[in-house]
Every structure is written in C-alpha cells, then in structure tokens.
C-alpha cells in the first residue's frame, strides 16, 4: 500500500470509530465539561510553576550574581539539551519515558573510552567516538525495543530495569573485558591489568565542541557550536514529525489497534523509535561529556536517564505528550534548581549537604508528581468520556 | 488475487525499491566508515618533548645548546634553555620544527608515526643532523601513569552533574 | 517426539528457563567450591544466615502481589518506617532483646501511617503502580536523607560526634538488638550453623500471612488480585483491600529491615535503602512468583536461590579465576530475572 492510502485508511478508521460512537447524537452537541479556564491551566502546569517558585527562592538564597547564573545556565543548556531531546521520539510513539536512553549513554561512553585510549583528540575525536557509538547504540536500541514490545503497557518500568540490566553487561565489558579481550594500552587501564579506571580524564576532547566557535559577551561564554548542533537536532525532530515514519509513530501512540488495522507495522515502528532515541542519546552523552571533561566510568550513565526525564517533566511535558518547548524550559528550570540548591541550603541552614539532598529529593519528587498527575488526569478523562458515551447511548434509547 | 511480493526474504534484490535503498545505505555506511578512519588519523595526539638535554647516540655525544628559539608547528616561538625539556601537543601526522641558533635557521617538515604516543625530539641532535629524522625523533615507551585518579565517592557523589 | 520429551519440555516451560538456569548455576557453584578450597559447610551456614536476614523483606512482596498492586518497588517506604523505629528504640536507650521488640512496635506504627497514605495514592493510579512506586520510594529515601540530618536525635552512638547533631550514616546495633534473633537457639549441626531464631521468626510471620490469606479478608485479597471486576461484583471494597495489602507490605518491610539489621549488625541510613527493593523483588521472582501471583513457597525458594548466588559467587569465582565478578553477576542475574517476569503474561508456578 502506498503511504497516501495508508494514511487515508488510518484517518478513515478513526473517523468511522468516532462516527459510530456519536452517531445518535447528530443533533446534540457534546461538550466536555472543562474547569474554569485559569484553574485548569494552573493544574495542568503545576510542575513548571512549582519549579519557577523553587528557582526564585533558591536563586535569592544562594546569593549568586545574575552573570554567574546566566553563564551556568547557558553551559547546562548546551550540555544537557541534546540528551533530553532524545527522549522526545519514544514519547511520540507512545512508549512513555525511555529510561533505556541509559543504553545509548553507555554506547557513547564506550566510544569515548576507546578514543581516549587511542589518543584521538579534538573534533576528530568526537566524530570518531560518535561513529563508534552508533552501531553499538543501534544494537542495544534494537534489543531494548524488542523487549519493550513484549511488555506492552509496562514500557516505563521495563525500560527502567533494562537500564540496570545493561549496566551489568556494560560493567562486564568495561571492567573485565577491557584490557583482556579489548586491547587497552593507555593509563586509563587499572594497574591490575584489566578494567578501566573510575575516572577517565577526557582532556583530549575537553570543550572541543564548545570552543569550536567561541563567543564571549562580557563575562558570559557562549558555546556556539554546541547550540548550532542542538538547533540542527531540533530541525531534525520537526522534520521527522512530518515524515511517514513520524506519522506512523503518532498513529501508534494514539491507538495501536487502529494503526495496525491501517497497515502500519506497529512492532517495527516502536522498535525504530527506541533505536533512534538510543542513537541520539549516545551522541548526547558525548556532547555532555566533552563539556564535563571527565568521565565517571561507572556512574554517569545511570543518573543521566533519570535527570533527563526529570528535566523533561519539569518543562511541562507528560508521559504522552512532549515538545521542544518542554525540553528547553525544563532544562533551564531543573538545572537552575539543581545548581542553586546546595548553596541556598548552606546559606539558609548552614549545611550544603542538606541542599544536595534537597535537590535529589526534588528531582525524584517531581517525577513522582508528574507521573501521578498524568495518570490521574488520564483516568479522569476516560471517566468523562465513558460518562458522555453512556449519556449519548441513553439518549438514543430514550429518543 | 494479486501476486505476492517476495517480502519474506531478507535481501530480495529483485525488488527495485529495495535495490535502490540497499545501494544508498551501503554507500552511506562505507562513507561513514571512511570518515571514521580519516578522523582516526588526523585526530591522533602525540605528546612531544622538545628536549634540550645532553644525549649520546652511537657513542657520539650531543651537548645541550643554550638560548635557542624554537617554533613547533603553529605554536608560538619560545626559547629553549640548556638542560630543559618543553612539552607540546602534536595532533595529526604532519609536523614542522624550526630552530634558530647562532643566526642559523634549521627547519624540517616531518611525520610522526601514528602509533607513537610519547615522543622525544632531541634539539641538539636536530641542529647537528637536521635531515636524519629518525636520529632525533624517538618514542618513549613508558606510559605516564596518572596517579591522581581517585577512588573516593562522596555521599551523593552519584548525583554530581 | 517421544512422550518423555513432551514431559520434559512442559516441565521446562512451567518452571521457567531462567529459574532452571539459575538453579543449575548455583548447583554448579557448589560443585566447584571444593576445588577452590571453599568449605561447603561454611557456605551453607552463610547462605542460611543470609536467608534469615532477607527472608522477611522478600515476604513483604507477597501481600501487594496478591492484591494486584504488582511488585512493590516502593519497599523503601517500609524500610524507612523500620529505620525510624530502630533509631527511636536506640534513642530511648532500650537495650537487648527488648529493644528489638520496641523497635518493631514503633516501626509497625510508622508503617501503618505510611502504608495508608501510600495505599491511597496507589488506588488512584491502578495499572501504573510499579513505575510510580519506584519513584515514591526514591523520593521518600531522599526526603529522609534531609530528615536524618535535621531530626532531634541525641544518643551519642548515633549522632556525629563533631557537630553533635545529625545522624551518622551507619549506626552499629551492637549492644542493642545485635543478633537478638540470629543467636537465639542457634545450633551447629555437621559444622553448619543454623540461625534458628531468625528462621523461627520468619516462619512465624509466614504462618501469619498464610493464615491471613485463608481468612475472609485474605480470600477477598486474592479475589481482588485475580479478578477485580468479579471482586467488586461480589461486594468487596476493592480499594479498602488494596490499601490493607499495601499497609501489610509496608509493615513487613519495616520488620524485615529490622531483622536484617540485627543480623547484619548495622543500621544504614541516608542512601542505604535506596536500591533495597530490587534484590527483594528479584528474589521472589526467582522463586517462581509472577507480577500478579506469589506464594510463601516462592519466598523461601527465591530467597535461598538468590542469597545462594550472592554468597557463593564471590568466594568461588575469586578462588578459581582470581577475579571478583560477583557484583556484575548479581546485577545481571537479579535484573534479568525482573526483566523476564515483566515480559511474561503467564501465571506463576508453585
């Protein structure tokens, strides 16, 4: 079937379903009961609003200057946005938050470990790391997608556990095979002969991307090249939404059975969304690490999934709907809180440690709240639709 | 019933669309691999020690030369003093070295072999025997062990971003 | 295909390939042990000791699985209740066996409160319990991290000596309820130390759960778990039963961590409880449970197998290959088991 006929079939299917639902109420206008406009807006965006408040309080108590904050936020935007954007595609395909981006992060890290060992530096090093990470990401993403297809309805928990599982495999590779089966010669190898060190100095590629096109306004450094890369990614996402594959994903996310009936290979589409997301996560991890300058071999990838998901949710996204606006807003708000909390804690209570625990608590808390809000409102909407449906059929009976 | 396309096979080259896609994808894959190989070579970093220290090669002693101006690749010209060694980073394979001593200029364009990681260029030998690259360019085999790597993890060290 | 093949195949299918693999792996380890000069009696003692340590935590999974709330990834909430009870008992300077029971009483009180709120939350989000439970657990642990620093504890064995306030990261239970259960009535047979106290305690709790599941409320719980629509039609208050199961799970978690601490010897605060749900979840899954069905037998078998792997792998592997791969193997085995369970739609065995 050509693409056009497939799309026509899909929309026809949806239309038929709607028509059959509301056939009896041709004359009745069905309106969903909405709350008062502003109240609804408030509830829907409670998470970003909470974070704006926390951010303002935090900035005030941390006693930072505006220039420091702006500088830090720009750095963090350039560093983290790529990773958060990689989460958009699985949401588009109805797979929820892809905690399996950890897999992509691991692939990126393996690429970086290899180029550091070989001594490849600068932009060539970054490109080579990206090239190395791609096939690993594709393989991992494919495997992850296959497993998620077997756990339909529980994608988020499953991708979460997959992250832990593959972390074990990653440790097997990096801690036991590197140096033995995979030749590593440089000083990143542990003295005992196998295994990579805890911290790998990425001096070679440090800030290579950031400083490619340096720009300085006053005291503020702007990593232009990184932002250009992120902008390219955004254009890619926008273009992707309009392609056949993108439309397929949106169809799958709204109703799997209708999509299947209109000829879309649901399983393949879902797997593809995970593969693309994993590959992007790999590149995003490379962008992140070239800014950080040091690789925490056994830990960075585990937290990155959680923080990226948290940032996306803070930006107002939900498990079923996310766009680029959410990404940037979320990264700014989340990292503002993250950066400011320890200092505010120190100034407020005298304990920086408290601020650190606070930011961890808020990170997890925001994911919890966002998930709960999403689930509760989804159920509320389903209940309202069911009520409307019941009313319409009763109306048909009485008519 | 219309004839079923042979979609079960993995590589059905009879299908025109498949053939075209396969060719395009293979070409792209090969290009990327080539790009990777190119990057591998042009991005290789060597640590070069421009050493101005007394060395002995084949029984011949080369004494250090004081106060010479050295320019390596596109770096700034600096002065090398006797018994000192300066470290520079050299990326890629093609490099150039220019030394001025006693009004004479000694220049050479040379290649550093890819597998060399740490390299010593002996400046005295360079001055005496500029064209014999292998004489003044040697590899150090000892890997510099970075002992500053720490195993400490703070309480919430997991959460440093 | 002969009849023998069919029987064998159906056995493999019903028992589950991963479980057979794990059991086989453990057997292999026991066989290799003598080669590496690892004493088998010592190993068995260790495994039994760890069984006593962890069994109650695994038991805590049962009520929630039974009522259809899924795997209790929010176990840290119950663990925190236990931590609060334990620290409170020490703060009040209750020593010896009495401190253990005082700790239990306090913990269960806390657990009832936590479990009730947690249960109400889970009732609002039927169907997505597992994901949200994970993050509720994490957020609770992080919140308590802040609280451990701020709460007005004063006992010198628990508080940082330098600042005089804020709890230490690890607190020894020595002098309080250290080994209260494990050493109780423990005896040696054939060189194997059997921690009778812990095992009896676990057996007691398991018996309570088993008995409960055969009461009216218990069968209602099973009904809610297997078929909520049918249960509601029978007039059972589904939400109330689910909340009850959550409270029971949380309380067992609280008791479980106290049992763990008295055997282990230390109370671990701050980030200690963070990842503690995963071993318990994978243990019960290894024992044959599924996401919506679990029995006491699952708990016993699962804990034995899981702790067996965790104990044997380091010692045996270390002596043979001279490498400590145990951590990696533990991660792969436990998470692989959970993954296997999540991708299955079928019921459990045993």
């Amino acid at each position: 079937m050509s693409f056009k006929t497939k799309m026509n079939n899909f929309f026809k299917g949806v239309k038929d379903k709607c028509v059959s639902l509301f056939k009896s109420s041709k004359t009745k206008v069905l309106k969903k009961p909405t709350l008062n406009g502003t109240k609804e807006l408030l509830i829907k965006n409670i998470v970003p609003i909470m974070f704006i408040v926390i951010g303002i309080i935090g900035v005030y108590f941390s006693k930072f200057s505006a220039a420091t904050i702006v500088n830090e936020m720009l750095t963090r935007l350039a560093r983290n946005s790529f990773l958060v954007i990689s989460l958009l595609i699985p949401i588009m395909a109805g797979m929820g938050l892809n905690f399996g981006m950890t897999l992509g992060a691991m692939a990126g890290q393996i690429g970086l470990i290899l180029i550091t060992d070989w001594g490849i530096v600068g932009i060539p090093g970054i490109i080579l790391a990206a090239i190395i990470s791609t096939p690993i990401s594709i393989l991992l993403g494919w495997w992850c997608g296959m497993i998620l297809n077997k756990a339909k309805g529980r994608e988020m928990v499953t991708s979460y556990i997959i992250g832990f599982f593959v972390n074990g495999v990653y440790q097997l590779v990096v801690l036991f095979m590197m140096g033995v089966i995979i030749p590593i010669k440089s000083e990143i190898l542990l003295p005992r002969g196998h295994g990579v060190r805890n911290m790998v100095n990425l001096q070679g590629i440090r800030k290579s991307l950031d400083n490619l096109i340096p720009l300085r306004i006053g005291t503020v450094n702007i990593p232009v090249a990184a932002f250009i890369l992120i902008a390219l990614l955004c254009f890619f996402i926008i273009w992707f939404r309009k392609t056949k594959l993108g439309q397929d994903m949106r169809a799958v996310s709204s109703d799997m059975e209708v999509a299947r009936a209109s000829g879309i290979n649901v399983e393949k589409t879902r797997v593809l969304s995970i593969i693309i997301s994993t590959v992007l996560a790999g590149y995003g991890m490379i962008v992140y690490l070239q800014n950080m300058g040091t690789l925490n071999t056994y830990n960075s990838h585990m937290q990155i999934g959680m923080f990226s998901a948290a940032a996306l949710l803070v930006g107002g996204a939900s498990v079923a709907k996310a766009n680029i606006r959410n990404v940037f807003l979320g990264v700014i708000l989340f990292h503002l809180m993250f950066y400011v909390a320890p200092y505010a804690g120190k100034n407020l209570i005298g304990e920086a440690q408290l601020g650190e625990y606070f930011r961890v608590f808020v990170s997890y808390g925001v994911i919890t709240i966002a998930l709960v809000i999403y689930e509760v409102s989804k159920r509320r909407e389903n209940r309202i639709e069911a009520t409307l449906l019941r009313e319409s059929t009763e109306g048909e009976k009485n008519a | 019933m219309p004839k079923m396309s042979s979609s079960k096979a993995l590589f059905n080259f009879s299908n025109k669309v498949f053939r075209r896609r396969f060719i395009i994808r293979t070409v792209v894959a090969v290009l990327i691999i080539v790009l990777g190989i190119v990057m591998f070579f042009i991005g290789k970093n060597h640590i070069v020690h421009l050493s101005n220290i007394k060395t002995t090669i084949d029984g011949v002693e080369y004494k250090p030369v004081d106060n010479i101006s050295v320019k390596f690749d596109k770096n700034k010209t600096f002065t090398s003093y006797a018994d000192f060694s300066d470290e520079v980073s050299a990326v890629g394979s093609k490099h150039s070295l220019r030394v001025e001593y006693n009004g004479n200029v000694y220049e050479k364009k040379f290649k550093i072999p890819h597998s060399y990681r740490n390299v010593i260029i002996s400046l005295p030998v360079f001055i005496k025997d500029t064209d014999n690259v292998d004489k003044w360019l040697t590899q150090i085999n000892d890997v510099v062990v970075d002992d500053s790597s720490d195993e400490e993890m703070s309480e919430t060290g997991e959460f440093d971003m | 295909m002969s009849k023998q093949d069919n029987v064998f195949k159906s056995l493999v299918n019903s028992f589950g390939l991963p479980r057979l693999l794990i059991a086989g792996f453990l057997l292999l380890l026991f066989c290799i042990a003598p080669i590496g000069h690892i004493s088998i009696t010592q190993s068995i003692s260790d495994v039994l000791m760890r069984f006593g340590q962890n069994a109650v935590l695994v038991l805590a999974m049962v009520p929630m699985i039974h009522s259809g709330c899924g795997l209790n990834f929010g176990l840290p909430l119950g663990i925190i209740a236990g931590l609060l009870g334990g620290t409170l008992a020490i703060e009040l300077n209750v020593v010896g066996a009495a401190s253990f029971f005082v700790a239990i009483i306090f913990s269960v009180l806390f657990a009832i409160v936590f479990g009730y709120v947690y249960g109400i939350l889970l009732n609002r989000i039927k169907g997505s319990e597992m994901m949200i439970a994970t993050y509720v657990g994490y957020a609770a642990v992080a919140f308590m991290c802040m609280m451990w620093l701020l709460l007005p504890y004063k006992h010198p064995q628990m508080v940082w000596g330098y600042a005089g306030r804020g709890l230490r990261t690890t607190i020894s239970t020595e002098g309080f309820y250290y080994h209260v259960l494990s050493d109780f009535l423990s005896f040696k047979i054939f060189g194997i130390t059997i921690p009778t106290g812990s095992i009896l305690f676990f057996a007691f709790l398991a018996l309570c759960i088993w008995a409960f599941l055969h009461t009216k409320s218990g069968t209602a719980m099973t009904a809610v778990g297997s078929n909520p629509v049918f249960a509601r039609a029978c007039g059972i208050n589904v939400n109330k039963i689910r909340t009850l199961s959550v409270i029971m799970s949380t309380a067992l978690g609280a008791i479980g961590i106290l049992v763990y601490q008295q055997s282990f010897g230390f109370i671990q605060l701050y980030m200690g409880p963070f990842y503690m749900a995963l071993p318990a979840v994978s243990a019960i899954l290894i024992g044959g449970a599924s996401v919506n069905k679990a029995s006491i037998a699952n708990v016993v078998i699962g804990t034995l197998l899981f702790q067996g792997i965790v104990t044997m792998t380091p010692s045996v592997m270390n002596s043979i290959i001279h490498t400590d791969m145990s951590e990696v193997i533990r991660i792969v085995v436990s998470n692989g088991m959970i993954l296997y369970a999540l991708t299955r739609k079928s019921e459990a065995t045993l």
Side-chain angles (χ1 to χ4, degrees):
Chain A
M1 263 194 246
S2 80
F3 171 55
K4 202 169 172 187
T5 33
K6 247 197 237 181
M7 286 316 299
N8 281 339
N9 281 345
F10 172 66
F11 285 121
K12 189 161 182 295
V14 173
K15 194 178 106 183
D16 285 339
K17 210 177 178 194
C18 294
V19 164
S20 65
L21 276 179
F22 302 125
K23 200 170 185 183
S24 57
S25 47
K26 278 191 289 211
T27 50
K28 224 195 308 181
V29 175
L30 282 166
K31 212 164 59 146
K32 268 202 207 154
T34 53
L35 302 170
N36 180 7
T38 36
K39 191 174 175 197
E40 171 123 9
L41 204 72
L42 211 70
I43 294 184
K44 266 180 83 172
N45 294 314
I46 185 106
V47 174
I49 292 177
M50 261 185 359
F51 259 79
I52 295 178
V53 171
I54 295 179
I56 296 178
I57 299 179
V59 171
Y60 177 70
F61 278 111
S62 70
K63 301 200 175 72
F64 277 129
S65 70
T68 329
I69 301 264
V70 170
N71 212 349
E72 189 67 30
M73 286 305 113
L74 278 173
T75 315
R76 281 164 186 260
L77 259 178
R79 185 159 78 197
N80 293 289
S81 306
F82 207 104
L83 282 161
V84 182
I85 296 181
S86 82
L87 287 174
L88 288 179
I89 302 216
I91 294 183
M92 204 194 299
M95 317 271 286
L97 293 169
N98 180 25
F99 291 107
M101 66 178 286
T102 320
L103 275 62
M106 289 186 232
Q109 281 178 198
I110 291 185
L112 285 175
I113 291 176
L114 287 177
I115 62 149
T116 310
D117 182 55
W118 297 335
I120 318 289
V121 300
I123 296 291
I126 292 184
I127 296 180
L128 188 58
I131 292 179
I132 295 176
S133 80
T134 313
I136 304 176
S137 294
I138 293 179
L139 203 70
L140 289 173
W142 176 81
W143 178 76
C144 179
M146 297 295 277
I147 299 219
L148 287 180
N149 271 341
K150 290 212 184 121
K152 290 201 184 83
R154 299 185 192 136
E155 284 92 356
M156 280 205 288
V157 196
T158 313
S159 67
Y160 183 70
I161 300 289
I162 288 180
F164 280 106
F165 179 77
V166 179
N167 181 29
V169 178
Y170 171 82
Q171 284 196 24
L172 194 69
V173 170
V174 175
L175 195 54
F176 294 105
M177 298 212 305
M178 289 217 166
V180 184
I181 303 179
I182 304 173
I184 301 271
K185 294 195 194 74
S186 73
E187 67 266 11
I188 63 173
L189 200 65
L190 284 168
R192 64 183 186 196
H194 63 87
V196 177
R197 286 180 186 263
N198 264 359
M199 308 280 254
V200 172
N201 191 349
L202 299 173
Q203 191 64 33
I205 57 161
R206 185 154 216 263
K207 298 253 194 305
S208 299
L209 190 63
D210 290 352
N211 292 335
L212 189 63
I213 309 173
L215 179 63
R216 211 184 155 89
I217 304 180
T219 46
V220 174
N221 274 319
I222 304 183
V224 176
F227 279 123
I228 292 181
L229 199 64
I230 294 174
L232 285 175
L233 183 64
C234 292
F235 286 131
F236 169 74
I237 299 277
I238 298 177
W239 167 80
F240 183 77
R241 282 216 174 107
K242 303 200 180 97
T243 65
K244 170 177 176 302
L245 188 57
Q247 297 284 7
D248 279 354
M249 289 188 187
R250 297 170 79 185
V252 167
S253 93
S254 47
D255 197 319
M256 268 199 263
E257 292 314 312
V258 174
R260 201 191 304 269
S262 46
I264 300 177
N265 186 343
V266 169
E267 270 72 36
K268 196 172 98 162
T269 313
R270 282 163 59 103
V271 172
L272 272 171
S273 78
I274 298 292
I275 292 180
I276 297 178
S277 171
T278 316
V279 170
L280 288 177
Y283 300 157
M285 196 60 180
I286 295 178
V287 170
Y288 172 83
L289 285 170
Q290 62 84 34
N291 181 283
M292 289 290 262
T294 341
L295 166 64
N296 190 337
T297 324
Y298 301 101
N299 278 318
S300 352
H301 50 276
M302 293 312 289
Q303 333 151 14
I304 208 79
M306 203 275 304
F307 288 137
S308 306
L312 191 61
L313 291 173
V314 168
S318 83
V319 164
K321 196 155 165 275
N323 53 41
I324 297 182
R325 278 195 304 274
N326 299 137
V327 171
F328 292 120
L329 181 65
V331 171
I332 294 178
L333 286 180
F334 181 78
H335 283 274
L336 186 64
M337 182 276 305
F338 205 84
Y339 179 62
V340 151
Y343 302 97
K346 190 134 167 266
N347 290 334
L348 254 182
I349 311 191
E351 283 242 31
Q353 190 68 6
L354 199 75
E356 276 189 41
Y357 286 137
F358 177 73
R359 68 184 183 184
V360 174
F361 167 61
V362 170
S363 312
Y364 290 122
V366 79
I367 297 185
T368 318
I369 294 180
L371 288 176
V372 171
I373 291 181
Y374 168 70
E375 293 293 333
V376 169
S377 61
K378 189 170 82 171
R379 272 163 190 72
R380 194 168 66 95
E381 275 179 29
N382 286 343
R383 260 204 310 273
I384 293 176
E385 269 184 42
T387 324
L388 288 175
L389 179 60
R390 213 172 340 137
E391 284 172 10
S392 76
T393 49
E394 273 168 21
E396 179 185 84
K397 255 191 276 175
N398 293 338
Chain B
M1 187 147 139
K3 176 163 156 238
M4 286 266 279
S5 61
S6 46
S7 52
K8 296 275 181 175
L10 195 55
F11 292 105
N12 53 337
F13 290 102
S14 53
N15 185 345
K16 203 161 64 163
V17 170
F18 179 86
R19 249 209 318 261
R20 192 184 61 183
R21 280 195 188 154
F22 184 76
I23 292 178
I24 293 181
R25 288 178 186 179
T26 319
V27 168
V28 169
V30 167
L31 281 177
I32 291 182
I33 295 179
V34 167
L35 179 69
I37 297 177
V38 170
M39 292 294 124
F40 182 69
F41 282 104
I42 71 173
K44 174 75 182 185
N45 188 27
H46 313 274
I47 302 179
V48 176
H49 301 267
L50 297 159
S51 88
N52 201 343
I53 301 177
K54 178 172 89 170
T55 71
T56 311
I57 303 180
D58 297 332
V60 182
E61 199 183 83
Y62 295 86
K63 285 217 269 283
V65 190
D66 204 11
N67 241 312
I68 52 176
S69 94
V70 180
K71 183 172 169 68
F72 185 81
D73 281 350
K74 291 198 170 53
N75 297 339
K76 257 168 62 171
T77 315
F78 67 93
T79 318
S80 169
Y81 299 102
D83 296 325
F84 276 99
S85 186
D86 297 286
E87 206 178 280
V88 273
S89 235
V91 183
S93 58
K94 295 208 186 81
H95 299 284
S96 69
L97 180 58
R98 174 197 162 99
V99 170
E100 271 185 42
Y101 167 61
N102 256 350
N104 293 329
V105 174
Y106 306 88
E107 265 192 86
K108 183 73 183 165
K109 285 202 176 63
F110 58 97
K111 280 199 185 154
I112 301 182
H114 188 269
S115 59
Y116 285 13
R117 187 183 277 273
N118 283 300
V119 166
I120 293 186
I121 294 183
S122 172
L123 291 171
V125 181
F126 176 75
I127 293 177
K128 283 277 157 56
D129 208 347
T130 313
D131 285 323
N132 196 345
V133 177
D134 290 327
K135 213 165 182 189
W136 42 262
L137 184 75
T138 43
Q139 186 189 179
I140 311 175
N141 280 321
D142 296 323
V143 170
V144 177
V145 176
D146 186 32
D147 272 316
S148 61
S149 108
D150 44 333
E151 314 286 320
E152 274 299 317
M153 257 212 334
S154 70
E155 184 61 36
T156 51
E158 304 179 359
F159 301 102
D160 291 324
M161 280 194 81
Chain C
M1 240 202 283
S2 69
K3 209 169 171 197
Q4 227 177 355
D5 268 346
N6 270 342
V7 168
F8 182 65
K9 225 178 173 172
S10 68
L11 199 75
V12 170
N13 271 340
S14 70
F15 202 58
L17 193 60
R19 284 175 206 118
L20 283 178
L21 286 175
I22 292 177
F25 181 58
L26 189 61
L27 203 64
L28 189 70
L29 284 177
F30 266 104
C31 293
I32 300 183
I35 306 179
H37 305 292
I38 307 282
S39 129
I40 297 227
T41 48
Q42 179 65 31
S43 305
I44 297 186
S45 303
D46 284 337
V47 174
L48 284 177
M49 191 249 315
R50 292 181 97 127
F51 173 82
Q53 234 178 36
N54 292 282
V56 182
L57 282 171
V58 181
L59 187 64
M61 294 285 143
V62 174
M64 272 177 72
I65 294 182
H66 246 279
S67 71
C69 294
L71 304 163
N72 185 12
F73 284 107
L75 192 66
L77 208 56
I79 294 181
I80 287 176
L83 291 175
L84 280 170
T87 47
L88 209 54
I90 296 185
E91 177 77 5
L92 295 178
N93 230 335
V94 189
V95 289
S99 89
F100 187 65
F101 292 103
V102 167
I104 290 189
I105 296 177
F106 280 130
S107 311
V108 172
L109 287 174
F110 279 117
I112 294 179
V113 173
F114 292 164
Y116 183 68
V117 175
Y118 183 35
I120 294 183
L121 174 66
L122 288 185
N123 280 335
R124 294 291 220 102
I125 51 161
K126 294 199 188 73
S128 317
E129 293 94 346
M130 290 197 275
M131 190 74 244
I132 295 187
T134 317
Y135 282 103
V136 168
Y138 286 168
V141 172
F143 179 70
M144 286 314 292
C145 281
M146 294 198 295
M147 288 297 114
W148 300 130
L149 278 177
L150 294 175
L151 286 174
Y153 282 98
K154 294 224 182 34
H155 197 289
Q157 195 169 335
M158 296 200 296
V159 170
W160 291 110
Y162 184 71
R165 94 165 187 177
L167 290 172
R168 296 194 200 164
T169 320
T170 18
I171 300 173
S172 163
T173 53
E174 195 95 36
F176 292 96
Y177 49 83
Y178 181 69
H179 269 201
V180 159
L181 283 182
S182 318
D183 289 342
F184 181 69
L185 284 186
S186 85
F187 60 94
K188 264 180 129 84
I189 182 170
F190 300 130
I192 304 175
T193 326
I194 302 192
T196 326
S198 312
I199 298 186
L200 280 179
F201 191 69
F202 165 71
F204 170 66
L205 285 173
L207 194 67
C208 289
I209 299 288
W210 182 86
F212 171 76
L213 285 175
H214 284 78
T215 64
K216 186 156 156 259
S217 307
T219 34
M221 199 178 277
T222 321
V224 167
S226 29
N227 198 340
V229 180
F230 174 69
R232 187 172 282 135
C234 288
I236 300 176
N237 185 341
V238 170
N239 281 353
K240 208 165 85 152
I241 293 288
R242 280 169 59 108
T243 317
L244 181 63
S245 78
V246 172
I247 294 180
M248 282 175 67
S249 234
T250 315
L252 281 173
I255 300 178
I257 192 68
L258 288 172
V259 172
Y260 179 85
Q261 282 163 358
Q262 60 85 33
S263 170
F264 183 58
F266 290 99
I267 300 179
Q268 291 158 305
L269 298 174
Y270 298 97
M271 285 297 173
F274 204 69
Y275 287 117
M276 277 193 184
L278 287 177
V281 170
S282 59
I284 200 169
L285 290 175
I286 290 179
S290 80
V291 177
N292 44 27
K293 232 173 167 59
S295 72
I296 308 283
N298 295 144
V299 175
V300 174
I301 297 180
T303 316
L304 279 175
L305 282 178
F306 185 77
Q307 293 305 329
I309 301 251
V310 167
T311 327
M312 295 296 291
T313 329
S315 45
V316 173
M317 287 222 127
N318 228 348
S319 60
I320 305 285
I321 337 181
H322 299 290
T323 323
D324 189 11
M325 273 194 171
S326 55
E327 178 80 11
V328 171
I329 293 195
R330 187 182 57 79
I331 294 178
V332 168
V333 166
S334 56
N335 288 300
M337 200 61 227
I338 302 181
L339 217 52
Y340 174 73
L342 285 174
T343 53
R344 304 267 289 179
K345 287 193 167 76
S346 59
E347 302 283 284
T349 59
L350 270 88

